[in-house]
Amino acid sequence: SQKIEQNSEALNIQEGKTATLTCNYTNYSPAYLQWYRQDPGRGPVFLLLIRENEKEKRKERLKVTFDTTLKQSLFHITASQPADSATYLCALDMLDYKLSFGAGTTVTVRA
Amino acid sequence: DAGVTQSPTHLIKTRGQQVTLRCSPKSGHDTVSWYQQALGQGPQFIFQYYEEEERQRGNFPDRFSGHQFPNYSSELNVNALLLGDSALYLCASSYSLTDLAKNIQYFGAGTRLSVL
């Protein structure tokens, strides 16, 4: 069956450290993988997109990697800040007009 | 520039009732998708509307139906509500003529539906 799994545990980190989130998938062949941020009571907000033929993408303090052999994406937040505290969702795009989301990982950054 | 707006923000219904949720897409967007998000879960795709037609549908029963109007706004209708329909319903919009690869979704804040 198809599965998208993100870190099962919430992530608690100290301000200034790097948070690393994982997204593993089974029985999907995504052309693209996206990462979204969701704050409580709000809808998800798009952060980054990476294509299947790209290994790494960066945007400011965010970095995403994509390994189609391992069927895994890693999402890094460097020099983390309390304002980065949120739930982060990975989403797979198989070019069929829909996104398939993981359950998300909640990140809390302590000052 | 107005983003995606949804109404109402909260709704309480009883089992067996019917509900209609509304969505106005981001200015310039012509495609609307609906997602259901249960507590602690990621959004699950319900369907997508483009040119007033349902273009793609997820694994949801026929009790879930929708509509898109000429101004691109959309409605989600759910009939014969079940307790399990309690969730956050998210509307997302996008622009069809961007690179299909960039299926980036702009989400509204959602409608919280509680079925008692």
Side-chain angles (χ1 to χ4, degrees), chain A:
Chain A
S1 63
Q2 293 180 315
K3 271 194 222 174
I4 303 170
E5 293 180 315
Q6 297 190 237
N7 302 54
S8 56
E9 302 284 331
L11 217 53
N12 287 283
I13 59 170
Q14 186 71 38
E15 183 176 8
K17 300 293 187 185
T18 296
T20 298
L21 285 63
T22 61
C23 176
N24 296 295
Y25 57 92
T26 310
N27 292 328
Y28 283 99
S29 297
Y32 306 90
L33 194 146
Q34 300 183 23
W35 284 87
Y36 287 78
R37 168 187 173 136
Q38 187 172 24
D39 291 286
R42 311 288 289 271
V45 174
F46 171 77
L47 296 174
L48 278 170
L49 173 150
I50 188 165
R51 300 169 190 252
E52 62 177 337
N53 60 353
E54 293 178 320
K55 295 292 185 189
E56 182 178 302
K57 207 77 171 285
R58 291 175 186 258
K59 180 183 173 183
E60 298 172 352
R61 295 184 295 106
L62 307 179
K63 184 178 87 169
V64 173
T65 63
F66 193 9
D67 189 326
T68 54
T69 302
L70 291 179
K71 297 186 183 298
Q72 179 182 76
S73 175
L74 299 179
F75 179 82
H76 306 270
I77 308 171
T78 59
S80 60
Q81 304 167 359
D84 296 326
S85 299
T87 295
Y88 292 85
L89 300 157
C90 70
L92 276 52
D93 182 0
M94 273 64 70
L95 296 182
D96 57 357
Y97 303 113
K98 65 183 181 185
L99 294 179
S100 298
F101 284 86
T105 299
T106 299
V107 175
T108 303
V109 182
R110 303 187 308 274

Side-chain angles (χ1 to χ4, degrees), chain B residues 22-68:
Chain B
R22 295 178 175 81
C23 172
S24 291
K26 181 178 167 64
S27 178
H29 285 184
D30 59 2
T31 303
V32 173
S33 301
W34 287 91
Y35 289 80
Q36 179 194 67
Q37 187 175 25
L39 207 58
Q41 300 298 314
Q44 297 294 311
F45 177 79
I46 302 174
F47 40 55
Q48 183 180 90
Y49 276 83
Y50 171 66
E51 291 190 338
E52 303 179 48
E53 297 283 335
E54 183 182 289
R55 177 158 72 174
Q56 177 64 279
R57 187 178 183 92
N59 188 24
F60 279 81
D62 292 344
R63 298 187 297 108
F64 290 76
S65 63
H67 190 77
Q68 185 179 36

Side-chain angles (χ1 to χ4, degrees), chain B residues 19 62 75 111:
Chain B
V19 68
D62 292 344
E75 288 181 350
T111 294

Side-chain angles (χ1 to χ4, degrees), chain B residues 65-82:
Chain B
S65 63
H67 190 77
Q68 185 179 36
F69 300 94
N71 67 353
Y72 308 120
S73 67
S74 177
E75 288 181 350
L76 164 66
N77 300 291
V78 187
N79 293 322
L81 284 167
L82 304 174

